[in-house]
Amino acid sequence: MQTERKDLLQSYFFSILGGLIGAASLNLFIIPLGLFSGNFIGIAQMIDALLREGMRLSIPGSFNLSGLILFLINIPLMVIAFREISRTFFFKSVLTLLFQSAAMLVIPIPSSPLIEDMLTSSIIGGLILGLGAGLTLRSGGSGGGTDILGVYLIKKFPHVSVGRISMVVSAFVFGYCLIRYDLNVVVYSIIFTAVSAITLDRAHYQNIKSSAIIFTRNPEVGNTILQELHRGATCWNGYGAYTHDPTYIFMTVVSKFETARIKKIVRDLDPHSFTVFIDHLDVSGNFLRKL
């Protein structure tokens, strides 16, 4: 019980830390160059720019209003997360978004870029943002935006992916940049967003599929996997080649993030069992994708 509480607190900590890292990346590397992020952060930046330029609001250049805007436009998505995804995911996402938005407001934007070269700054900023987002997702939360929208739509339309939703939102943001700014802003904003997306994919365990083949004498392993992980499993009756003792063989496909939970489930039910994991599978068909 104490271990589970420690793991839960640790996951909240790293989820929030990921949001803070992302905010630092934007304020220190991207915004000083006038670049835009894809997804909902980019939409918040667009609204911020329109308020500054269109309504001529006297907002200090070192103050990133898009942090507050990001929080406000995510409120409807947080309602979806609470109702349709899970309460734990909702609470982690709210905390992450609160800390990320506050950090974007508090961290001062330098008057001149930390790195003058736009390509270098785009790559470094993308790497840092991707690592922060990956850390948040690996901890079971999200920074809101396309993560929540994608997971919700996956439940309704199985062929939809978070990546496709992200591409649609990013295309909208970059279309706006193309109309209002020069081509360099669009090109380097795309580079930044692409680098952050690739880094996120590498950092996020849920994008790595694994098969688990479990050898056990406890038939309850299959039911427990179904109840706790909501994953199906195929079972065979076997026997040991040396001892000829009967055994159960379960096979299931999970994300890399779920392998630790599989190990714990099997170990608790049968300390003498063993499990073989095969990583980096190409899975098609009826496999449930989760954050």
Side-chain angles (χ1 to χ4, degrees), residues 207-212 251-254 278-283:
N207 294 322
I208 303 173
K209 307 298 183 293
S210 301
S211 68
M251 181 175 178
T252 186
V253 176
V254 295
I278 304 170
D279 294 342
H280 298 281
L281 298 176
D282 182 14
V283 179

Side-chain angles (χ1 to χ4, degrees), residues 22-32 62 64 66 103-110:
S25 165
L26 290 163
N27 278 26
L28 299 178
F29 292 97
I30 301 308
I31 292 172
S62 61
N64 187 3
S66 55
M104 288 172 72
L105 288 166
V106 170
I107 297 172
I109 300 169

